[in-house]
Amino acid sequence: MLRIRRVLKEKKLLNLIARSSRTRWMSSGTEVMSFGDGSHGALGLPTSLIGHGMDAYEPTPVTGLPSDITSVSAGHYHSLAVTSHGQLWAWGRNHEVQLGRGLLSPRDTWNEPKRVEGLDQVQVTAAFASGVVSAAIGDDGSLWVWGKSKRGQLGLGKGITEASVPSKVEALEGQKIAKVSFGWGHTLAQTVDGKLFGWGYLADGRLGKMGGLVEASPLDSSMNVVKHEVITQSTVEVAERLVLEGMEKEKDMPIVWDPCSVEELKGVEVVDIACGLDHSLVLCRDGTLLSSGSNVYGQLGRANHDMGFFPVDISFPALAIASGLGHSLAICQAKSPEGKGDATSIVSWGWNQSSQLGRPGPENVPMEVEGLAGETAILVSGGRVHSIAVTSKGEVWVWGCGRNGRLGIGSSCDEAEPIMLDSLEGCEVLQAVSGFDHNLILIAQ
């Protein structure tokens, strides 16, 4: 009987989280707001408002978008928005044609939201983005991608590194894709019926033991040189140099060019996925949370350091997951007195250079963000070195690095613990997502 009650409670919480992802725009419409780093145009704000490439320190309305946006997605340096009529809009960095408007589009217009070209015959239901690639899911479950990736992140076939217009991923024909998540060079996709596919760069086992090929990334050995040092500007510069050197060495690492089933998870129903820069998280229907890939910052959250997908050492039932560049986040069912209430908690682990975990304690051990105790988190997202969450009250909480206004609190101050974004008080927040250094907020009008 207790097990039945627990299952029913988990289902209730999952339904609450699911409802939060379905925008209640109705006839009154929605509005997108942005804040953070504006150097790549990812904020979508006019130069007359903030100046060319300038930052926004508080949530600011993105003009030029339709009033029926149903969901938003933040790539590393660009942004996507889906309308209730199945249209897709994009703005921000376009050096890799990830905006779907071609390279001939003038650079000074990249910050202006415009419709993605080449999707006229596709009813878009969801969109996702990485640093160099964008993706859209059609209402038939088809997957469309565009951009540039030397590491096979497009999934369009061997040696195909560029798609200037949205192109259908034919290898997934017959599959109904529900969600896509991008890392740096690797991609995961889950289907409506819970199957998992992966492709792209597979070092560190970030795609599991795909094809029996599991190799360590040169980036891991590079970062091991500095990960235990006290973080200063000089060590950050050394780390960045070593990463760049490691990236050059990685050019000869193995690539999976076409989407392939993640064999070790065959027969397991997947309900959520999240990719960090070089690690992956997979949430299974039975509540098991798996991780794979690099563990330089403890972002796998497990004592087992074997390569491939293995369970995270987490004592809370996970309901949803997210990932920043090198840190991991999970919305979990919280313990409540006598089993009452629908409270959730956010658990974090991994890289914590700028307090993006939102709590003290061991970085490699999944632990609750106590600053959100008593709140019911329904959405969470991670940036490069900051995190953002939405509660059932419609409140937005932020923590981590505040540089360039990426916390939206009106300053560049870092926040070691979650702080509520007062400027959005009274707004009905439907969604909040983070790119590397910028954020998008979707609110009901």
Side-chain angles (χ1 to χ4, degrees), residues 161-185:
T161 60
E162 179 178 349
S164 58
V165 296
S167 303
K168 188 176 182 180
V169 181
E170 299 292 349
L172 290 172
E173 180 70 33
Q175 302 291 339
K176 290 186 180 297
I177 303 302
K179 182 178 181 179
V180 176
S181 186
F182 293 103
W184 183 81

Side-chain angles (χ1 to χ4, degrees), residues 372-383:
L372 289 172
E375 301 292 340
T376 299
I378 57 175
L379 293 170
V380 67
S381 183

Side-chain angles (χ1 to χ4, degrees), residues 374-422:
E375 301 292 340
T376 299
I378 57 175
L379 293 170
V380 67
S381 183
R384 186 200 304 264
V385 282
H386 76 286
S387 303
I388 188 168
V390 180
T391 70
S392 59
K393 300 174 186 175
E395 297 171 345
V396 176
W397 295 71
V398 293
W399 60 95
C401 179
R403 186 178 177 183
N404 307 108
R406 68 192 74 176
L407 295 185
I409 57 176
S411 73
S412 293
C413 295
D414 294 353
E415 293 293 340
E417 296 182 350
I419 180 173
M420 192 175 77
L421 206 50
D422 291 333

